[in-house]
Amino acid sequence: MKAVPYFKSPTQFEECPRVMVVEDHADTRFMLRTILERRGLSVVEAEDGEEAIRLAERDCPRLILMDMGLPRMDGLATTRRIRAHAALNQVPIIFLSGHTSATHQMDARDAGCDEFLVKPIDIDQLYSALKRHLEEKKV
């Protein structure tokens, strides 16, 4: 089995890993979707934790970008619920947060995230994280 290719042409979405963007701010979701789709990745979006869980169960994404501060169910609780789901517990979760404290980062790791990126997002760091986590997953 070969590793999932990281960058593909936008016309090959059906063969690309699906990335879920969980973010309550529409402009940030749009920015992330644009960045990801320009790299040939397929994107599904959720505005809050409850929607994220519902869509993750339906779509089984290959990777999740999770905002910490979400309405209805925050990113920490959402991550814990995803980790408790047998079919989703190995999906890489990258936290995106404007909170830079070690406590916030530790809380995210304790909830089950695989990586923590600070907002505003450094695009090169995001690409590196995506590549690392998508290429580690086997098709």
Side-chain angles (χ1 to χ4, degrees):
M1 300 187 115
K2 64 179 189 162
V4 173
Y6 175 50
F7 295 115
K8 289 191 166 210
S9 73
T11 60
Q12 296 174 315
F13 282 175
E14 66 279 357
E15 298 174 13
C16 292
R18 177 168 287 155
V19 176
M20 176 180 283
V21 174
V22 185
E23 168 63 57
D24 57 325
H25 293 103
D27 55 344
T28 305
R29 278 195 321 274
F30 175 78
M31 177 203 61
L32 289 168
R33 173 185 275 283
T34 301
I35 289 167
L36 296 169
E37 287 181 348
R38 286 188 178 170
R39 293 296 184 224
L41 299 168
S42 177
V43 178
V44 63
E45 300 176 19
E47 294 181 17
D48 62 55
E50 291 178 6
E51 182 180 28
I53 292 166
R54 206 170 39 256
L55 292 175
E57 289 171 345
R58 183 191 78 190
D59 295 336
C60 200
R62 298 291 303 275
L63 183 136
I64 299 172
L65 298 176
M66 178 76 68
D67 184 30
M68 186 175 272
L70 298 169
R72 296 173 52 179
M73 181 186 303
D74 70 19
L76 297 172
T78 303
T79 297
R80 285 187 201 98
R81 292 264 310 269
I82 289 170
R83 289 292 179 236
H85 194 290
L88 300 171
N89 67 4
Q90 296 300 311
V91 174
I93 299 175
I94 300 173
F95 255 72
L96 309 175
S97 179
H99 300 287
T100 61
S101 75
T103 301
H104 281 101
Q105 293 183 36
M106 184 61 74
D107 290 345
R109 296 233 187 248
D110 288 346
C113 87
D114 296 283
E115 194 155 344
F116 191 99
L117 298 178
V118 176
K119 291 180 184 177
I121 301 299
D122 177 291
I123 301 303
D124 290 333
Q125 287 181 348
L126 176 61
Y127 289 158
S128 294
L130 291 169
K131 187 172 183 176
R132 241 185 337 274
H133 292 288
L134 290 174
E135 288 185 350
E136 287 174 3
K137 299 291 285 182
K138 302 295 181 195
V139 177

